[in-house]
Coordinates of all heavy atoms in Angstrom, one line a residue:
M953 N -6.4 16.7 1.7 CA -5.9 15.5 1.1 C -6.6 14.3 1.7 O -6.8 14.3 2.9 CB -4.4 15.4 1.4 CG -3.6 16.1 0.4 SD -2.0 15.4 0.8 CE -1.1 15.8 -0.5
Y954 N -6.9 13.3 0.9 CA -7.6 12.1 1.5 C -6.7 10.9 1.2 O -6.3 10.7 0.0 CB -9.0 11.9 0.9 CG -9.9 13.0 1.3 CD1 -10.1 14.1 0.6 CD2 -10.6 12.8 2.6 CE1 -11.0 15.1 1.0 CE2 -11.5 13.8 3.0 CZ -11.6 15.0 2.2 OH -12.5 15.9 2.7
Y955 N -6.4 10.1 2.2 CA -5.6 8.9 2.0 C -6.6 7.8 1.6 O -7.6 7.5 2.2 CB -5.0 8.5 3.4 CG -4.2 7.2 3.3 CD1 -3.0 7.1 2.6 CD2 -4.7 6.1 4.0 CE1 -2.4 5.9 2.6 CE2 -4.1 4.9 4.0 CZ -2.9 4.8 3.3 OH -2.2 3.6 3.3
T956 N -6.2 7.2 0.5 CA -7.1 6.1 -0.1 C -6.4 4.8 -0.1 O -6.9 3.8 -0.8 CB -7.6 6.5 -1.5 OG1 -6.5 6.7 -2.3 CG2 -8.5 7.7 -1.4
G957 N -5.2 4.7 0.6 CA -4.5 3.4 0.6 C -5.0 2.4 1.6 O -6.1 2.5 2.1
R958 N -4.2 1.3 1.8 CA -4.6 0.3 2.7 C -4.6 0.8 4.1 O -3.9 1.7 4.5 CB -3.7 -0.9 2.6 CG -3.6 -1.5 1.2 CD -2.7 -2.7 1.1 NE -1.4 -2.4 1.5 CZ -0.5 -3.4 1.8 NH1 -0.8 -4.6 1.7 NH2 0.8 -3.0 2.1
D959 N -5.5 0.2 5.0 CA -5.6 0.7 6.3 C -4.3 0.3 7.1 O -3.5 -0.6 6.6 CB -6.9 0.3 7.0 CG -7.0 -1.1 7.3 OD1 -6.0 -1.7 7.7 OD2 -8.1 -1.7 7.2
M960 N -4.1 0.9 8.3 CA -2.8 0.7 9.0 C -2.7 -0.7 9.5 O -1.6 -1.2 9.6 CB -2.7 1.8 10.1 CG -2.6 3.2 9.6 SD -1.1 3.4 8.5 CE -1.9 3.3 6.9
K961 N -3.8 -1.3 9.9 CA -3.7 -2.7 10.4 C -3.2 -3.6 9.3 O -2.3 -4.4 9.5 CB -5.0 -3.1 10.9 CG -4.9 -4.3 11.9 CD -6.3 -4.5 12.6 CE -6.1 -5.6 13.7 NZ -5.4 -5.1 14.9
V962 N -3.8 -3.5 8.1 CA -3.4 -4.4 7.0 C -2.0 -4.1 6.5 O -1.2 -5.0 6.3 CB -4.4 -4.2 5.8 CG1 -3.9 -4.8 4.6 CG2 -5.8 -4.7 6.2
S963 N -1.7 -2.8 6.5 CA -0.4 -2.3 6.0 C 0.8 -2.9 6.8 O 1.9 -3.1 6.3 CB -0.3 -0.8 6.0 OG -1.2 -0.3 5.1
H964 N 0.6 -3.0 8.2 CA 1.7 -3.3 9.1 C 1.6 -4.7 9.6 O 2.4 -5.1 10.4 CB 1.8 -2.3 10.2 CG 2.1 -0.9 9.7 ND1 1.1 0.0 9.3 CD2 3.2 -0.3 9.5 CE1 1.6 1.1 8.9 NE2 2.9 1.0 9.0
K965 N 0.6 -5.5 9.2 CA 0.4 -6.9 9.7 C 1.6 -7.7 9.4 O 2.1 -7.7 8.3 CB -0.8 -7.5 9.1 CG -1.3 -8.7 9.7 CD -2.7 -9.1 9.1 CE -3.2 -10.5 9.4 NZ -3.1 -10.9 10.7
G966 N 2.1 -8.4 10.4 CA 3.2 -9.3 10.2 C 4.6 -8.7 10.2 O 5.6 -9.3 10.1
M967 N 4.6 -7.4 10.4 CA 5.9 -6.7 10.5 C 6.6 -6.7 11.9 O 7.7 -6.3 12.1 CB 5.8 -5.2 10.1 CG 5.5 -5.0 8.6 SD 5.4 -3.3 8.2 CE 5.0 -3.4 6.5
N968 N 5.8 -7.2 12.8 CA 6.3 -7.3 14.2 C 6.8 -6.0 14.8 O 7.9 -6.0 15.4 CB 7.4 -8.4 14.3 CG 6.8 -9.8 14.1 OD1 5.7 -10.1 14.6 ND2 7.5 -10.6 13.3
V969 N 6.2 -4.9 14.5 CA 6.6 -3.6 15.0 C 6.3 -3.7 16.5 O 5.2 -4.0 17.0 CB 5.7 -2.5 14.4 CG1 6.1 -1.2 15.0 CG2 5.9 -2.4 12.9
S970 N 7.4 -3.4 17.3 CA 7.4 -3.6 18.8 C 7.2 -2.2 19.4 O 7.2 -1.2 18.8 CB 8.7 -4.2 19.2 OG 9.7 -3.2 19.0
E971 N 7.0 -2.3 20.8 CA 6.9 -1.0 21.6 C 8.1 -0.2 21.4 O 8.0 1.0 21.3 CB 6.8 -1.4 23.1 CG 5.4 -1.8 23.5 CD 4.4 -0.6 23.5 OE1 4.8 0.5 23.6 OE2 3.2 -0.9 23.5
S972 N 9.3 -0.9 21.4 CA 10.5 -0.1 21.2 C 10.6 0.5 19.9 O 11.1 1.7 19.7 CB 11.6 -1.2 21.5 OG 12.8 -0.8 20.8
D973 N 10.2 -0.2 18.8 CA 10.2 0.4 17.5 C 9.3 1.7 17.5 O 9.6 2.7 16.9 CB 9.6 -0.5 16.4 CG 10.4 -1.8 16.2 OD1 11.7 -1.7 16.4 OD2 9.8 -2.8 16.0
W974 N 8.1 1.5 18.1 CA 7.1 2.6 18.2 C 7.7 3.8 18.9 O 7.6 4.9 18.4 CB 5.9 2.1 18.9 CG 4.8 3.1 19.1 CD1 4.6 3.9 20.2 CD2 4.0 3.6 18.0 NE1 3.6 4.8 19.9 CE2 3.2 4.6 18.6 CE3 3.7 3.2 16.7 CZ2 2.2 5.3 17.9 CZ3 2.7 3.9 16.0 CH2 2.0 5.0 16.6
S975 N 8.4 3.6 20.0 CA 8.9 4.7 20.8 C 10.0 5.4 20.0 O 10.0 6.7 20.0 CB 9.6 4.2 22.1 OG 8.7 3.6 22.9
L976 N 10.8 4.7 19.3 CA 11.9 5.3 18.4 C 11.2 6.2 17.3 O 11.6 7.3 17.1 CB 12.8 4.3 17.8 CG 13.8 3.7 18.8 CD1 14.5 2.5 18.2 CD2 14.8 4.7 19.2
F977 N 10.2 5.6 16.7 CA 9.5 6.3 15.7 C 8.9 7.6 16.2 O 9.1 8.7 15.6 CB 8.4 5.4 15.1 CG 7.2 6.2 14.5 CD1 7.4 6.8 13.3 CD2 6.0 6.2 15.1 CE1 6.4 7.5 12.7 CE2 4.9 6.9 14.5 CZ 5.2 7.6 13.3
L978 N 8.3 7.6 17.4 CA 7.7 8.8 17.9 C 8.8 9.8 18.3 O 8.6 11.0 18.1 CB 6.9 8.4 19.2 CG 5.4 8.4 19.1 CD1 4.7 8.4 20.5 CD2 4.8 9.7 18.3
E979 N 9.9 9.3 18.8 CA 11.0 10.2 19.2 C 11.5 11.0 18.0 O 11.7 12.2 18.0 CB 12.1 9.5 19.9 CG 11.9 9.2 21.3 CD 12.9 8.2 21.9 OE1 14.0 8.2 21.4 OE2 12.5 7.4 22.8
H980 N 11.7 10.2 16.9 CA 12.2 10.8 15.6 C 11.2 11.8 15.0 O 11.5 12.9 14.6 CB 12.5 9.8 14.6 CG 13.8 9.0 14.9 ND1 15.0 9.7 15.0 CD2 14.1 7.7 15.1 CE1 16.0 8.8 15.2 NE2 15.4 7.6 15.4
A981 N 9.9 11.4 15.0 CA 8.8 12.2 14.5 C 8.8 13.5 15.3 O 8.7 14.6 14.7 CB 7.5 11.5 14.5
S982 N 8.8 13.4 16.6 CA 8.8 14.5 17.5 C 10.0 15.5 17.3 O 9.8 16.7 17.1 CB 8.7 14.0 18.9 OG 8.8 15.1 19.8
A983 N 11.2 14.9 17.2 CA 12.4 15.7 17.0 C 12.3 16.5 15.7 O 12.7 17.6 15.6 CB 13.6 14.8 17.1
T984 N 11.8 15.8 14.7 CA 11.7 16.4 13.3 C 10.7 17.6 13.4 O 11.0 18.7 12.9 CB 11.2 15.4 12.3 OG1 12.1 14.3 12.3 CG2 11.0 16.0 10.9
M985 N 9.6 17.4 14.0 CA 8.6 18.5 14.1 C 9.2 19.7 14.9 O 9.0 20.8 14.6 CB 7.3 18.0 14.7 CG 6.5 17.1 13.7 SD 4.8 16.8 14.3 CE 5.1 15.7 15.6
K986 N 9.9 19.4 16.0 CA 10.6 20.4 16.8 C 11.6 21.2 15.9 O 11.6 22.4 15.9 CB 11.2 19.9 18.0 CG 10.3 19.3 19.1 CD 9.4 20.5 19.7 CE 8.5 19.9 20.8 NZ 7.4 20.8 21.1
E987 N 12.4 20.4 15.2 CA 13.5 21.0 14.4 C 12.8 21.9 13.3 O 13.4 23.0 13.0 CB 14.2 19.8 13.7 CG 15.2 20.3 12.6 CD 16.5 20.8 13.1 OE1 16.8 20.6 14.3 OE2 17.2 21.5 12.4
L988 N 11.7 21.5 12.8 CA 11.0 22.3 11.7 C 10.1 23.4 12.3 O 9.4 24.1 11.6 CB 10.2 21.4 10.8 CG 11.0 20.4 10.0 CD1 10.1 19.4 9.2 CD2 12.0 21.1 9.0
Q989 N 10.1 23.5 13.7 CA 9.3 24.5 14.4 C 7.9 24.5 14.0 O 7.2 25.5 13.8 CB 9.9 25.9 14.1 CG 11.3 26.0 14.6 CD 12.0 27.3 14.4 OE1 11.4 28.2 13.8 NE2 13.2 27.5 14.9
V990 N 7.3 23.2 14.0 CA 5.9 23.1 13.8 C 5.2 23.7 15.0 O 5.5 23.4 16.1 CB 5.6 21.5 13.7 CG1 4.1 21.3 13.7 CG2 6.2 21.0 12.4
P991 N 4.2 24.5 14.7 CA 3.5 25.2 15.9 C 2.9 24.1 16.8 O 2.5 23.0 16.4 CB 2.4 26.0 15.2 CG 2.9 26.2 13.8 CD 3.7 25.0 13.4
Q992 N 2.8 24.5 18.1 CA 2.4 23.6 19.1 C 1.0 22.9 18.8 O 0.9 21.7 19.0 CB 2.3 24.3 20.5 CG 2.2 23.3 21.7 CD 3.4 22.4 21.9 OE1 4.5 22.9 21.7 NE2 3.2 21.2 22.1
Q993 N 0.1 23.7 18.4 CA -1.3 23.1 18.1 C -1.2 22.0 17.1 O -1.7 20.9 17.2 CB -2.2 24.2 17.7 CG -3.7 23.7 17.4 CD -4.3 23.1 18.7 OE1 -4.4 23.8 19.7 NE2 -4.7 21.8 18.7
E994 N -0.5 22.2 16.0 CA -0.3 21.2 14.9 C 0.5 20.0 15.4 O 0.2 18.9 15.1 CB 0.4 21.8 13.7 CG -0.6 22.4 12.7 CD -0.4 23.9 12.7 OE1 -0.3 24.6 13.8 OE2 -0.3 24.5 11.6
Y995 N 1.5 20.3 16.2 CA 2.3 19.3 16.8 C 1.4 18.3 17.6 O 1.5 17.1 17.5 CB 3.4 19.9 17.7 CG 4.3 18.9 18.4 CD1 5.5 18.5 17.9 CD2 3.8 18.4 19.7 CE1 6.3 17.6 18.6 CE2 4.6 17.5 20.4 CZ 5.8 17.1 19.8 OH 6.6 16.2 20.5
D996 N 0.6 18.9 18.5 CA -0.3 18.2 19.4 C -1.3 17.4 18.5 O -1.6 16.2 18.9 CB -1.0 19.1 20.3 CG -0.1 19.7 21.4 OD1 1.0 19.2 21.6 OD2 -0.5 20.7 22.0
D997 N -1.8 18.0 17.5 CA -2.8 17.3 16.6 C -2.1 16.1 16.0 O -2.7 15.0 15.9 CB -3.3 18.2 15.5 CG -4.2 19.3 16.1 OD1 -4.7 19.2 17.2 OD2 -4.5 20.2 15.3
V998 N -0.9 16.2 15.5 CA -0.2 15.1 14.8 C 0.1 14.0 15.8 O -0.2 12.8 15.5 CB 1.1 15.6 14.1 CG1 1.9 14.4 13.7 CG2 0.8 16.5 13.0
V999 N 0.6 14.4 17.0 CA 0.9 13.3 18.0 C -0.4 12.6 18.4 O -0.4 11.3 18.4 CB 1.6 13.9 19.2 CG1 1.7 12.9 20.3 CG2 3.0 14.4 18.8
A1000 N -1.5 13.3 18.6 CA -2.8 12.7 19.0 C -3.3 11.7 17.8 O -3.7 10.6 18.1 CB -3.8 13.7 19.3
F1001 N -3.1 12.2 16.6 CA -3.6 11.4 15.5 C -2.7 10.1 15.4 O -3.3 9.0 15.2 CB -3.5 12.1 14.2 CG -3.8 11.3 13.0 CD1 -5.1 10.8 12.8 CD2 -2.8 11.0 12.0 CE1 -5.4 10.0 11.7 CE2 -3.1 10.2 10.9 CZ -4.4 9.7 10.8
V1002 N -1.4 10.3 15.5 CA -0.5 9.1 15.3 C -0.8 8.1 16.5 O -0.8 6.9 16.2 CB 0.9 9.7 15.4 CG1 1.9 8.6 15.8 CG2 1.3 10.2 14.0
L1003 N -1.0 8.6 17.7 CA -1.2 7.7 18.8 C -2.5 7.0 18.6 O -2.6 5.8 19.1 CB -1.3 8.5 20.1 CG 0.1 9.0 20.7 CD1 -0.1 9.9 21.9 CD2 1.0 7.8 21.0
S1004 N -3.5 7.6 17.9 CA -4.8 6.9 17.7 C -4.6 5.6 16.8 O -5.5 4.8 16.7 CB -5.8 7.8 17.1 OG -5.6 8.0 15.7
L1005 N -3.4 5.6 16.1 CA -3.2 4.4 15.2 C -2.3 3.3 15.8 O -2.1 2.3 15.2 CB -2.5 4.9 13.9 CG -3.3 6.0 13.1 CD1 -2.3 6.6 12.0 CD2 -4.5 5.4 12.5
K1006 N -1.8 3.6 17.0 CA -0.8 2.7 17.6 C -1.3 1.3 17.7 O -0.5 0.4 17.3 CB -0.4 3.2 19.0 CG 0.6 2.3 19.6 CD 1.0 2.8 21.1 CE 1.9 1.8 21.7 NZ 2.2 2.1 23.1
D1007 N -2.5 1.1 18.2 CA -3.0 -0.3 18.3 C -3.1 -1.1 17.0 O -3.0 -2.3 17.0 CB -4.3 -0.3 19.0 CG -4.2 0.0 20.5 OD1 -3.1 0.1 21.0 OD2 -5.2 0.3 21.2
D1008 N -3.2 -0.4 15.9 CA -3.2 -1.0 14.6 C -1.9 -1.4 14.1 O -1.7 -2.2 13.1 CB -4.0 -0.2 13.6 CG -5.5 -0.1 13.8 OD1 -6.0 -1.0 14.6 OD2 -6.1 0.8 13.3
I1009 N -0.8 -0.7 14.6 CA 0.5 -0.9 14.1 C 1.5 -1.7 14.9 O 2.2 -2.6 14.4 CB 1.1 0.5 13.8 CG1 0.3 1.2 12.7 CG2 2.6 0.4 13.4 CD1 0.6 2.7 12.6
V1010 N 1.4 -1.5 16.2 CA 2.3 -2.3 17.1 C 1.6 -3.7 17.4 O 0.5 -3.8 17.8 CB 2.4 -1.5 18.5 CG1 3.2 -2.4 19.5 CG2 3.2 -0.2 18.2
E1011 N 2.4 -4.7 17.1 CA 1.8 -6.0 17.4 C 2.8 -7.0 18.1 O 2.5 -8.1 18.4 CB 1.4 -6.7 16.0 CG 2.5 -6.9 15.0 CD 2.0 -7.5 13.7 OE1 0.8 -7.7 13.5 OE2 2.9 -7.8 12.9
A1012 N 4.1 -6.5 18.3 CA 5.0 -7.4 18.9 C 5.5 -6.9 20.3 O 5.4 -5.7 20.5 CB 6.2 -7.6 18.0
Ligands
HEM848 C1 1.2 6.3 12.9 C2 2.4 5.8 12.4 C3 2.5 5.2 11.0 C4 1.8 5.5 9.9 C5 0.7 6.5 9.7 C6 2.3 4.6 8.9 C7 1.9 4.5 7.6 C8 2.3 3.6 6.6 C9 1.8 3.5 5.3 C10 0.7 4.4 4.7 C11 2.5 2.5 4.7 C12 2.3 2.0 3.2 C13 1.2 1.0 3.2 C14 1.0 0.3 1.8 O1 2.0 0.1 1.1 O2 -0.1 0.0 1.5 C15 3.4 1.9 5.6 C16 4.3 0.9 5.4 C17 5.2 0.5 6.2 N1 5.4 0.9 7.6 FE1 4.3 2.3 8.5 N2 3.3 3.8 9.4 C18 3.4 4.1 10.8 C19 4.3 3.6 11.7 C20 5.2 2.6 11.4 C21 6.2 2.2 12.4 C22 6.3 2.6 13.8 C23 7.0 1.3 11.7 C24 8.2 0.5 12.2 C25 9.0 0.9 13.1 C26 6.5 1.1 10.3 C27 7.0 0.3 9.4 C28 6.5 0.2 8.1 C29 7.1 -0.6 7.0 C30 8.3 -1.5 7.2 C31 6.3 -0.4 5.9 C32 6.5 -1.1 4.5 C33 7.4 -0.3 3.7 C34 7.5 -0.9 2.3 O3 7.5 -2.1 2.2 O4 7.7 -0.2 1.4 N3 5.4 2.0 10.2 N4 3.3 2.6 6.8

C-alpha cells in the first residue's frame, strides 16, 4: 500500500500536538499492538516508523 495523502508536517501543522499528547498516543498504540499480539518484529518496525515522524507532528 502507498500513502498518497498530505505529509505529516502539513497534516498536523497548527494542531499544537504536545509531548504529552505524543506519549499518550504511543502508549495507546503500543497497548493496542500488545492486545492484538502483533509479533515483536512488526511491533518494533511500527514503533521505529512512528518515532521517525515525531518531529513532524509534535510542535507544542
Ligand atoms: C505517527 C503518528 C501519526 C500519524 C502517522 C498520523 C497520521 C495522520 C493522517 C494521515 C492524518 C490525515 C491528514 C489529512 O487529512 O490530510 C492525520 C490527521 C490528524 N491527526 Fe494525526 N497522525 C499521527 C499522530 C497524531 C497525534 C499524536 C495526534 C494528536 C494527539 C494527531 C492528531 C491528528 C488530528 C487531530 C488530525 C485531524 C483529524 C481530522 O480533522 O479529521 N495525530 N493524522
Side-chain angles (χ1 to χ4, degrees):
M953 276 194 164
Y954 292 92
Y955 175 72
T956 55
R958 299 185 301 168
D959 70 39
M960 294 302 99
K961 201 169 186 74
V962 171
S963 297
H964 299 88
K965 193 171 167 47
M967 289 183 181
N968 293 318
V969 177
S970 66
E971 279 290 337
S972 150
D973 297 326
W974 177 262
S975 297
L976 284 169
F977 157 70
L978 255 193
E979 281 167 31
H980 284 299
S982 172
T984 300
M985 288 192 287
K986 291 293 181 200
E987 171 77 19
L988 296 174
Q989 299 178 357
V990 172
Q992 193 63 43
Q993 182 63 59
E994 273 111 313
Y995 176 96
D996 291 343
D997 288 349
V998 169
V999 171
F1001 174 67
V1002 157
L1003 285 176
S1004 77
L1005 299 170
K1006 181 182 177 189
D1007 287 351
D1008 285 345
I1009 294 169
V1010 174
E1011 62 180 4

